[in-house]
Amino acid sequence: MRDVLIVQNSRGGGPGRLGGWLEDMGLRLDVVHAYDGAPVPAGLRHDAMIMMGGGYLPSEDDRAPWLAPTRGLVAEALAGQVPFLGICLGGQMLAEVAGGEVTADAGAPENGSVPVTLRPETATDPLFQGLPPVVPAIEHHVDAITALPPDAVWLAETERCPYQAFRVGGRAWGVQFHPEVLPERIRAWEVDGFDPDEVYAGAVADEPISTPIWREVATRFAKLVS
């Protein structure tokens, strides 16, 4: 059985439905609760890696000391062509490790279900090819990627935050949104300037559209691992 390392950065920020989809494909999840003091591995010995979201910048080591060794694991995944998926903070970490830039409080924040536009570059992408041109995805961030790494393939964008999805090399992806989150999770988020009831209702309305799409993306990722 293939193993997937998942680094969790907050108590509520687990793999959610994404984890269930990967397990359905026969993968075994090794979830490291780094926020709670669990050490991340000294080296990447897993068959794939997923870095979850969290309320930090990817190099904010003073607040989250596990980020430094985790960046080392991301670099190992890139060097070894190990399948990698970075979600929100994880996507920002991939961008930074690969030579891009991440900026605090960049542009307008996004919260709730947001239409994400796929770019023409997705036509040949192993995860995103053939998906609808606009896909709803749940967002929750104020920090953002402000420059992609050199040679990264830009895959998706929104009006407020251009770099929503990208690929580095052939087997590493970063996304700004949260494919693992169901609408119920939104009720635990507090963001100034957003009506919580309106944000939740919008996510509930979009969920029947978004769920099969992100399940398909998870299935494609799992096939790369196995």
Side-chain angles (χ1 to χ4, degrees):
M1 182 178 286
R2 301 278 182 165
D3 294 319
V4 181
L5 172 66
I6 298 180
V7 179
Q8 184 171 333
N9 305 289
S10 67
R11 188 168 303 278
R17 62 182 181 178
L18 175 63
W21 293 333
L22 296 179
E23 288 177 325
D24 288 345
M25 291 294 293
L27 301 179
R28 181 166 47 204
L29 309 184
D30 179 9
V31 181
V32 175
H33 296 266
Y35 66 91
D36 204 27
V40 300
L44 186 58
R45 302 293 180 263
H46 296 71
D47 302 294
M49 179 178 173
I50 297 175
M51 173 66 170
M52 302 302 302
Y56 310 100
L57 291 166
S59 294
E60 207 165 7
D61 301 346
D62 55 334
R63 294 181 59 212
W66 67 88
L67 294 177
T70 302
R71 290 194 301 275
L73 295 177
V74 175
E76 282 192 53
L78 284 172
Q81 289 288 295
V82 176
F84 175 86
L85 177 62
I87 295 172
C88 199
L89 166 61
Q92 295 170 1
M93 180 174 284
L94 173 63
E96 190 171 280
V97 167
E101 295 179 4
V102 178
T103 304
D105 297 318
E110 293 179 303
N111 195 46
S113 187
V114 174
V116 174
T117 300
L118 301 189
R119 293 171 54 83
E121 290 86 345
T122 59
T124 57
D125 184 76
L127 296 193
F128 286 85
Q129 61 181 304
L131 301 183
V134 179
V135 180
I138 290 179
E139 306 266 4
H140 183 55
H141 71 100
V142 294
D143 307 327
I145 298 163
T146 47
L148 287 178
D151 303 322
V153 179
W154 184 11
L155 298 171
E157 59 191 328
T158 64
E159 183 179 345
R160 290 188 169 198
C161 180
Y163 302 125
Q164 287 289 332
F166 63 99
R167 188 182 75 249
V168 177
R171 309 192 95 191
W173 286 266
V175 298
Q176 184 60 70
F177 49 85
H178 288 272
E180 82 282 10
V181 166
L182 283 165
E184 287 71 23
R185 174 71 181 139
I186 291 175
R187 290 196 177 280
W189 294 342
E190 296 181 9
V191 180
D192 292 339
F194 292 88
D195 182 313
D197 293 331
E198 181 180 338
V199 168
Y200 173 72
V204 169
D206 286 343
E207 191 270 333
I209 301 169
S210 63
T211 291
I213 293 169
W214 300 127
R215 183 190 294 120
E216 174 63 22
V217 170
T219 299
R220 293 175 181 181
F221 183 78
K223 288 179 178 178
L224 288 176
V225 180
S226 54

